[in-house]
Amino acid sequence: MPRQAFTAEEIVVQKQRIMDEAANAMASEGISQLSMRALATSVNMTAANLYNYFPSKRQLFIETTQRGYELLDSYTKEGVASFEEPRDKLAGLLKSAVHFAHDWTGYWELMVHPPLQLREDLENGDSDLTGDLRQRTSNRMIDLFTKLLSQSGVTLTPPEADSSMPGIEGIAENGFGPDTIWVRMITLLTNTHGLIDLYNHKMLDGFNVDVPPLIDALIDSSIDILLPTIDQPAPGLSNER
Amino acid sequence: MPRQAFTAEEIVVQKQRIMDEAANAMASEGISQLSMRALATSVNMTAANLYNYFPSKRQLFIETTQRGYELLDSYTKEGVASFEEPRDKLAGLLKSAVHFAHDWTGYWELMVHPPLQLREDLENGDSDLTGDLRQRTSNRMIDLFTKLLSQSGVTLTPPEADSSMPGIEGIAENGFGPDTIWVRMITLLTNTHGLIDLYNHKMLDGFNVDVPPLIDALIDSSIDILLPTIDQPAPGLSNER
């Protein structure tokens, strides 16, 4: 029987199906348990055929991480779209990131807890594969922070066009106190990260309340506490940066 | 050669050595990768001998979780010991929890990200194995929160002697806004959890600063922002509870 030819579009669809299935398997079994052979079975392919799409597990991990950033990007883009105010856009962005991490736990885990070898690969040269999306996501966030803070009477130097996370290094110069903007930004992100992890591992179930509205309320609260708007400035929140 | 007899104390030491080695293996390879056979090799035992100490992987997981709580308990007890003020004790407790999670990542991961089956076992009957220590740790934390908040002019009903996490269920009645104490408590713990996870996965390295002082500063800041003392009350922090 002649080998069937696929169009480029069909190949993309097949690869996405494989990566989604890999993400599901990693969500339930753990990243380190992923077996190319078992994955092939669960997508009804021979192992040889799977290797036509992804020549190695490393390549599968890299492309799956990339697709994770694409999915996160589309979630967060939609999460901010229907809001006008920077504060509401920021809340929408953080909530949509939580929803992404919950809907697609396998992608999220691969992005934030990559296997050691993959992390090294990404940091030493393959970062161009995910770098652009990571950059776009973080730029969108910095943009929102900047707008929100300027509403609070705080002006940050606008990020330069192609610099990554501008000014973060300044944290050492600017001190670590609760008065610095960076500490409040980092705390907001750290808090969201912790919330995602506890949510995904069902550790918020002990509260005996409906978890999704609890999540949304905790994110709204953390923004209101950490980045108050001009109507309610925080004590000691310096506008000196 | 006759089988060597161990004293009870020697058996305890052997079991701890095995559990520490299991924790190290889980920290680097992941919990799901733990193999009893490989563990036996790395502690220079036959697999049969290892099974004398831990008759099953499930039993190893349960006792290792328990030892994790014991270690966390001794870290946090020491973390608060040298301080007088409730605020400083709270900072000491959270920082020592971060240090525990970093020094003993394998124990921490097993405690917070247990395999699904183990979680179910612990919730359905074996919780007495770890319940008491978990309870003691959470009581110490509630006690500190209560003292700290009373300094801020906020009085919480003191926890009843043998109730678990008193009043947390009240979060639904009390609303989710930033004005409620519970939201600030939860945010402080969520933030610490996120910090631990980012620290352990080397995701704070991008800041180009010395990470341990950054951690300590972020914990101090989060306490100062979220649970301000009476000298600097937070806007909107109700003293109604």
Side-chain angles (χ1 to χ4, degrees), chain A residues 29 32-33 112-113 119 168-169 171-172 176-178 183-184 186-187 190-191 193-195 197-198 201 203 207-209 214 217-218 221 224-226 232-233 235, chain B residues 29 32-33 112-113 119 168-169 171-172 176-178 183-184 186-187 190-191 193-195 197-198 201 203 207-209 214 217-218 221 224-226 232-233 235:
Chain A
E29 309 281 327
S32 59
Q33 290 291 82
V112 299
H113 301 150
R119 177 195 305 278
I168 280 289
E169 300 78 12
I171 196 170
F176 297 121
V183 163
R184 286 169 181 263
I186 293 167
T187 302
T190 309
N191 179 59
H193 183 88
L195 209 50
D197 197 70
L198 292 167
H201 289 90
M203 294 184 81
F207 286 125
N208 288 330
V209 295
L214 173 64
L218 287 172
S221 296
D224 292 340
I225 296 169
L226 291 164
Q232 189 195 45
Chain B
E29 309 281 327
S32 58
Q33 291 289 84
V112 300
H113 301 149
R119 178 195 303 281
I168 280 289
E169 301 78 11
I171 196 170
F176 297 119
V183 164
R184 285 168 183 264
I186 293 166
T187 302
T190 309
N191 179 60
H193 184 87
L195 209 50
D197 197 69
L198 292 167
H201 289 90
M203 294 184 80
F207 285 124
N208 287 331
V209 296
L214 174 64
L218 287 172
S221 296
D224 292 339
I225 296 169
L226 291 164
Q232 190 196 46

Side-chain angles (χ1 to χ4, degrees), chain A residues 148 152 184 223-234 237, chain B residues 235:
Chain A
L148 181 65
S152 309
R184 286 169 181 263
I223 293 174
D224 292 340
I225 296 169
L226 291 164
L227 295 177
T229 58
I230 197 154
D231 302 330
Q232 189 195 45
L237 182 59

Side-chain angles (χ1 to χ4, degrees), chain A:
Chain A
M1 204 165 80
R3 191 166 146 193
Q4 194 180 345
F6 286 108
T7 65
E9 198 182 312
E10 282 168 337
I11 290 172
V12 167
V13 170
Q14 281 285 41
K15 289 182 86 169
Q16 289 185 349
R17 186 172 75 91
I18 294 166
M19 291 187 284
D20 289 354
E21 187 60 37
N24 284 340
M26 289 188 286
S28 55
E29 309 281 327
I31 294 168
S32 59
Q33 290 291 82
L34 188 75
S35 132
M36 291 293 269
R37 189 163 295 274
L39 177 61
T41 304
S42 69
V43 292
N44 288 316
M45 272 183 193
T46 61
N49 196 7
L50 176 60
Y51 280 102
N52 284 333
Y53 291 100
F54 298 100
S56 65
K57 194 161 153 182
R58 176 177 171 281
Q59 188 61 26
L60 172 68
F61 277 155
I62 288 174
E63 294 192 39
T64 304
T65 303
Q66 187 179 22
R67 179 160 157 78
Y69 275 99
E70 284 164 7
L71 287 167
L72 174 62
D73 198 60
S74 71
Y75 266 72
T76 55
K77 209 174 277 172
E78 194 172 322
V80 302
S82 58
F83 298 106
E84 287 299 321
E85 296 297 319
R87 185 240 167 256
D88 298 335
K89 280 182 182 286
L90 182 59
L93 182 137
L94 295 178
K95 288 174 192 175
S96 62
V98 176
H99 295 147
F100 162 71
H102 195 70
D103 292 350
W104 292 107
T105 304
Y107 284 105
W108 177 257
E109 286 293 321
L110 192 62
M111 290 157 72
V112 299
H113 301 150
L116 201 62
Q117 186 54 53
L118 177 65
R119 177 195 305 278
E120 284 168 8
D121 286 352
L122 289 172
E123 280 167 5
N124 301 330
D126 280 325
S127 62
D128 45 318
L129 264 173
T130 60
D132 181 48
L133 279 160
R134 209 181 270 180
Q135 187 67 50
R136 257 195 279 154
T137 309
S138 93
N139 280 350
R140 185 151 357 108
M141 196 167 284
I142 288 171
D143 192 48
L144 283 172
F145 272 112
T146 309
K147 284 196 186 129
L148 181 65
L149 292 169
S150 74
Q151 282 198 328
S152 309
V154 179
T155 309
L156 288 180
T157 315
E160 282 158 44
D162 55 359
S163 71
S164 68
M165 286 296 265
I168 280 289
E169 300 78 12
I171 196 170
E173 298 154 30
N174 298 318
F176 297 121
D179 296 1
T180 62
I181 297 304
W182 294 120
V183 163
R184 286 169 181 263
M185 277 179 53
I186 293 167
T187 302
L188 193 59
L189 297 176
T190 309
N191 179 59
T192 306
H193 183 88
L195 209 50
I196 287 172
D197 197 70
L198 292 167
Y199 183 29
N200 282 355
H201 289 90
K202 301 188 198 308
M203 294 184 81
L204 296 171
D205 294 357
F207 286 125
N208 288 330
V209 295
D210 206 14
V211 174
L214 173 64
I215 298 275
D216 285 356
L218 287 172
I219 284 181
D220 280 324
S221 296
S222 65
I223 293 174
D224 292 340
I225 296 169
L226 291 164
L227 295 177
T229 58
I230 197 154
D231 302 330
Q232 189 195 45
L237 182 59
S238 161
N239 64 1
E240 300 288 296
R241 159 195 264 268

Side-chain angles (χ1 to χ4, degrees), chain B residues 26-41:
Chain B
M26 289 188 287
S28 55
E29 309 281 327
I31 294 169
S32 58
Q33 291 289 84
L34 188 75
S35 133
M36 291 293 269
R37 189 163 295 274
L39 178 60
T41 304

Side-chain angles (χ1 to χ4, degrees), chain B residues 200-217:
Chain B
N200 281 355
H201 289 90
K202 301 188 197 310
M203 294 184 80
L204 297 171
D205 295 356
F207 285 124
N208 287 331
V209 296
D210 205 15
V211 174
L214 174 64
I215 298 277
D216 285 356

Side-chain angles (χ1 to χ4, degrees), chain B residues 104-164:
Chain B
W104 292 109
T105 304
Y107 284 104
W108 177 258
E109 285 294 321
L110 192 61
M111 290 156 73
V112 300
H113 301 149
L116 201 61
Q117 186 55 54
L118 178 65
R119 178 195 303 281
E120 284 168 7
D121 286 351
L122 289 172
E123 279 167 5
N124 301 331
D126 281 322
S127 62
D128 45 319
L129 263 174
T130 60
D132 180 48
L133 277 160
R134 207 180 272 181
Q135 187 69 50
R136 257 194 280 155
T137 308
S138 92
N139 280 352
R140 185 149 359 108
M141 195 167 284
I142 289 170
D143 193 47
L144 283 172
F145 272 113
T146 309
K147 284 196 187 128
L148 180 65
L149 293 169
S150 74
Q151 281 198 327
S152 308
V154 179
T155 309
L156 287 179
T157 314
E160 284 157 44
D162 55 357
S163 70
S164 69

